[in-house]
Amino acid sequence: MDDNIEEKSKGIDFIRQIIDKDNETGKYDSRVHTRFPPEPNGFLHIGHAKSICLNYGIVKEYGGKFNLRFDDTNPSKEETEYVESIIEDVRWLGADWENRLFYASDYFEQLYEYAERLIKIGKAYICDLSADEIREYRGTLTEPGKNSPYRDRSIDENLDLFRKMRAGEFADGEKTLRAKIDMSSPNLNMRDPVIYRILHTAHHRTGDKWCIYPMYDFTHCLSDSIERITHSLCTLEFEDHRPLYDWYLDQLEIYHPQQIEFARLNLSHTILSKRKLLQLVESKMVSGWDDPRMPTIAGFRRRGYTPESIRDFCNRIGIAKADSLVDIALLEHCIREDLNVHANRVMVVLDPVKVIIDNYPDDKVEWLDAVNNPEDESAGTHKIAFSREIYIERDDFMENPPKKYFRLYPGNEVRLKHAYYITCTDVVKDENGEIIEIHCTYDPESIGGGTVDGRRVKGTLHFVSAKHTVPVEVRLYENLFTIPEPNNPPDDKTFIDFINSDSLKILKCCLAEPYLANAKQGDRFQFMRRGYFCVDIDSTENNLVFNRTVTLRDTWAKMQKKISK
RNA sequence: UGGGGUGUCGCCAAGUGGAAAGGCAGUGGCUUUUGGAGCCACUAUGCGGAGGUUCGAAUCCUCCCACCCCAGCCA
């Protein structure tokens, strides 16, 4: 209850306002029943997550029910593989359909009967027009259509023909069942839409039982009705299908859900169109639907995103009817916020350069304590190794540093995280001028990373002990596209022209601390000063592979960028 | 030039006739053994535009403008 009050003061979205009103008036006996109705013709993406979170979130808040229903009415595009991935993704996101997993194909017999009923009340007819002819007869946006010459067939003839359609007596495309509505309606959806088409194609669930398949518009609203859905939430483009749904439901005199439309999600620097995502997959521009650069649920999961962070994102973007483009920075903020509290800190050097601490004993090894998570004391500590030779990041050293660079450079003292202060004394290069060794001295008094004299160092570096490393592979990801709106490319370009060639960098020679040796697939860590990473499914015992989920916020990089501009 | 929608800060988004919420991004500062995290502050005399109603308008009325969706036997 308190939660509700708080929600209200923050302003609830217009859909929840409608539900509140319906509950007050008792429109559906205060029942709230939603559903998520995907077509199994591709993987779910973050836009679907928005819908799932909306539908399921409402159900949790109102104590209602939530169905998962596959709208599988087009056998030529749908596959069991997609059904399986969708079930996995919805479950991973945390939505619970209990025992209500349905398929529109479960209703084929019922739907067929509804269709016969329409014929029997004179509201549907068999049309012999070809696809092209139907288009011609439909008219245009500004001109009304013409009645089909087959529009006035008798009920008996229609019924007979429809049964013959079902019996397989006609070839694909030879006939359709059409609603008899109004060919001059300004709403093209009402110009005698097709209800059933002939498709001699096996269905992933019903096999070859059917050779006629109902169209989406007919199936969808009736499926919602059959399931006693109260609020059918869908995206804006179905707004002018609503009169058609109302028409079907009214003609058949059956239970009538309330459809409410909201704006679909657009995310910057990526693409959320199943057709285009399929194109990326089929052209091998990405490794698959679950490529960590893909905006699919499977992609985000593999990338290291948590379901919590995606739900948080979906709650933050809100629900409205205005077309919008959400900045992907918000999604990144959500995963950082989650992982900051939950990911253990470890040290991994991505691009190693050797540092020799000349005054540290040759054969000595110390095992020092490292706090796992400064944000969560209960996360505990682990041991890290320290010895005379260590590796640090190549970009944590500069011979001639710019102003405000407070990492390692000749004469400068920095802190090695959890270990000692070191001061750079010398640099050794090879014949190409490449730095191969950095020499330092350390202050034994600074053990643990502080000194009794309280002197300050500005820089703190991560490192690994040279003799105590785990070699790992690291995959760095960036946005898949270089422009904010690849869906709306400038000039005569296409989204393909803006694929980011730097969206994946594979680093094969990274060095991790021993603590990571036992990391398992899916484990998430913060690599200190580098970002959040998770163990990829490509990982094996001999080759640990980490995906960078997201970088840390990097004010130094930001400063550099500004200077270079 | 048909119909259906939408316009509030760089990006989302509350607001439903009585002082323009909040988040992200950005900026400045404090703090910090991650240039992380955290904390504080700043950022719309203005709500697509023009008129009108009203003591009072982002909210009501009129006209205009811009953008999105619809002419699959796809969903």
Side-chain angles (χ1 to χ4, degrees):
Chain A
M1 267 299 134
D2 283 357
D3 283 353
N4 274 341
I5 290 161
E6 203 178 311
E7 286 261 18
K8 263 178 192 158
S9 71
K10 276 188 279 182
I12 61 170
D13 59 70
F14 75 100
I15 292 178
R16 280 173 247 247
Q17 288 176 18
I18 291 170
I19 294 175
D20 282 343
K21 195 169 287 173
D22 288 345
N23 285 348
E24 275 166 31
T25 62
K27 182 171 179 185
Y28 294 105
D29 304 321
S30 298
R31 227 166 31 86
V32 176
H33 199 153
T34 65
R35 100 271 95 130
F36 175 62
E39 183 194 12
N41 68 342
F43 275 53
L44 260 28
H45 55 62
I46 186 86
H48 296 110
K50 175 182 180 180
S51 174
I52 294 164
C53 291
L54 205 219
N55 278 290
Y56 188 66
I58 282 172
V59 157
K60 291 311 280 181
E61 287 158 37
Y62 289 88
K65 290 178 178 168
F66 169 81
N67 295 2
L68 175 58
R69 182 185 71 242
F70 288 94
D71 272 345
D72 54 351
T73 58
N74 185 349
S76 55
K77 288 188 177 177
E78 295 150 8
E79 294 170 23
T80 303
E81 179 209 349
Y82 294 133
V83 170
E84 286 162 1
S85 76
I86 288 168
I87 288 174
E88 183 185 3
D89 291 347
V90 176
R91 184 175 288 139
W92 181 77
L93 267 179
D96 183 6
W97 56 88
E98 300 175 280
N99 59 346
R100 290 180 304 280
L101 169 60
F102 301 128
Y103 296 80
S105 52
D106 291 342
Y107 310 138
F108 278 175
E109 195 62 52
Q110 170 81 68
L111 262 10
Y112 175 84
E113 263 158 49
Y114 280 141
E116 281 209 354
R117 202 194 294 180
L118 282 181
I119 293 172
K120 286 173 187 161
I121 61 172
K123 295 296 184 179
Y125 62 97
I126 302 297
C127 182
D128 296 4
L129 256 24
S130 70
D132 285 344
E133 288 166 333
I134 285 184
R135 191 182 328 113
E136 283 163 29
Y137 275 74
R138 185 156 34 225
T140 68
L141 294 179
T142 50
E143 301 158 28
K146 292 180 298 188
N147 282 169
S148 162
Y150 305 97
R151 202 174 199 257
D152 295 317
R153 287 216 248 233
S154 72
I155 288 173
D156 286 343
E157 186 185 4
N158 282 323
L159 218 42
D160 178 55
L161 255 13
F162 190 45
R163 287 169 183 168
K164 284 177 173 155
M165 273 172 65
R166 176 176 184 169
E169 295 186 23
F170 306 112
D172 286 6
E174 205 177 316
K175 287 182 164 42
T176 57
L177 178 70
R178 292 229 259 161
K180 193 189 283 189
I181 309 180
D182 177 7
M183 288 307 291
S184 65
S185 171
N187 181 346
L188 303 211
N189 293 123
M190 302 299 271
R191 319 241 263 228
D192 289 11
V194 171
I195 301 176
Y196 266 86
R197 75 285 216 188
I198 301 170
L199 238 37
H200 290 269
T201 304
H203 185 276
H204 68 104
R205 294 193 77 243
T206 60
D208 51 15
K209 181 176 179 198
W210 294 88
C211 64
I212 57 172
Y213 291 93
M215 296 292 291
Y216 169 84
D217 279 335
F218 184 70
T219 308
H220 185 77
C221 59
L222 297 183
S223 299
D224 280 350
S225 174
I226 290 167
E227 294 180 16
R228 311 279 299 172
I229 299 302
T230 56
H231 303 271
S232 301
L233 312 183
C234 67
T235 45
L236 257 24
E237 66 269 30
F238 294 105
E239 216 151 8
D240 40 54
H241 293 232
R242 182 160 23 97
L244 174 59
Y245 301 162
D246 290 344
W247 187 90
Y248 285 136
L249 266 7
D250 290 346
Q251 295 301 324
L252 293 167
E253 299 180 297
I254 55 178
Y255 171 82
H256 200 142
Q258 175 63 53
Q259 172 167 297
I260 308 169
E261 307 86 7
F262 62 96
R264 70 189 316 149
L265 171 67
N266 294 295
L267 231 207
S268 77
H269 302 279
T270 191
I271 223 143
L272 298 181
S273 132
K274 273 198 214 170
R275 205 202 94 239
K276 287 172 180 164
L277 291 174
L278 213 212
Q279 194 180 332
L280 291 177
V281 171
E282 287 186 333
S283 65
K284 309 265 194 236
M285 281 182 273
V286 295
S287 64
W289 284 98
D290 71 340
D291 185 299
R293 293 166 293 178
M294 290 283 272
T296 51
I297 307 293
F300 283 121
R301 177 170 59 235
R302 186 167 171 190
R303 175 92 168 239
Y305 275 74
T306 60
E308 291 79 7
S309 68
I310 290 177
R311 275 188 248 130
D312 183 32
F313 171 76
C314 291
N315 288 145
R316 287 183 192 231
I317 56 178
I319 299 293
K321 294 191 73 164
D323 290 320
S324 63
L325 177 69
V326 175
D327 194 333
I328 199 164
L330 179 60
L331 217 210
E332 294 178 344
H333 169 81
C334 292
I335 187 58
R336 284 194 189 104
E337 195 172 80
D338 185 5
L339 262 18
N340 176 46
V341 187
H342 295 115
N344 281 177
R345 274 60 170 170
V346 295
M347 296 201 280
V348 179
V349 179
L350 304 185
D351 183 16
V353 62
K354 185 171 273 189
V355 172
I356 298 169
I357 300 157
D358 293 310
N359 62 338
Y360 193 89
D362 207 1
D363 51 357
K364 187 174 175 183
V365 176
E366 288 181 89
W367 290 90
L368 305 164
D369 287 316
V371 169
N372 282 332
N373 188 342
E375 306 292 327
D376 176 12
E377 209 183 316
S378 72
T381 62
H382 71 272
K383 293 288 186 185
I384 56 168
F386 189 80
S387 61
R388 179 182 154 92
E389 295 194 2
I390 63 170
Y391 290 101
I392 65 167
E393 295 288 352
R394 196 163 280 278
D395 69 3
D396 278 343
F397 176 83
M398 282 184 100
E399 231 182 332
N400 301 296
K403 280 221 160 33
K404 292 200 172 169
Y405 182 87
F406 40 79
R407 278 115 94 148
L408 200 62
Y409 53 87
N412 192 41
E413 184 174 49
V414 299
R415 173 168 39 237
L416 293 172
K417 182 74 182 174
H418 300 310
Y420 293 100
Y421 287 5
I422 56 169
T423 304
C424 175
T425 54
D426 197 13
V427 189
V428 180
K429 300 184 202 170
D430 65 14
E431 60 273 18
N432 300 319
E434 175 116 351
I435 294 165
I436 50 174
E437 278 178 16
I438 298 162
H439 285 262
C440 290
T441 58
Y442 86 115
D443 175 3
E445 303 279 293
S446 64
I447 184 160
T451 58
V452 280
D453 64 12
R455 74 178 183 277
R456 299 279 184 167
V457 291
K458 290 271 262 193
T460 299
L461 311 186
H462 61 282
F463 69 95
V464 290
S465 167
K467 274 185 282 199
H468 309 86
T469 63
V470 178
V472 300
E473 176 180 328
V474 171
R475 298 175 182 172
L476 304 180
Y477 300 101
E478 286 177 16
N479 292 335
L480 229 199
F481 294 93
T482 56
I483 55 171
E485 223 174 336
N487 205 30
N488 248 314
D491 306 323
D492 51 352
K493 303 265 185 32
T494 77
F495 72 104
I496 299 289
D497 297 320
F498 295 94
I499 289 185
N500 180 4
S501 55
D502 290 327
S503 60
L504 167 61
K505 282 195 193 111
I506 300 178
L507 308 178
K508 298 231 178 214
C509 305
C510 308
L511 299 172
E513 56 167 292
Y515 180 65
L516 245 32
N518 299 316
K520 301 281 179 296
Q521 287 185 3
D523 285 356
R524 301 182 182 92
F525 300 92
Q526 184 196 95
F527 290 5
M528 293 201 89
R529 305 206 303 136
R530 291 280 96 128
Y532 296 97
F533 293 76
C534 96
V535 182
D536 188 71
I537 50 177
D538 284 348
S539 229
T540 62
E541 227 168 283
N542 302 322
N543 185 37
L544 267 177
V545 179
F546 287 91
N547 293 321
R548 182 172 69 195
T549 308
V550 67
T551 62
L552 257 24
R553 277 180 69 226
D554 190 344
T555 50
W556 171 246
K558 216 175 276 175
M559 275 170 64
Q560 300 261 281
K561 225 181 210 170
K562 244 195 274 179
I563 289 164
S564 72
K565 264 181 190 172

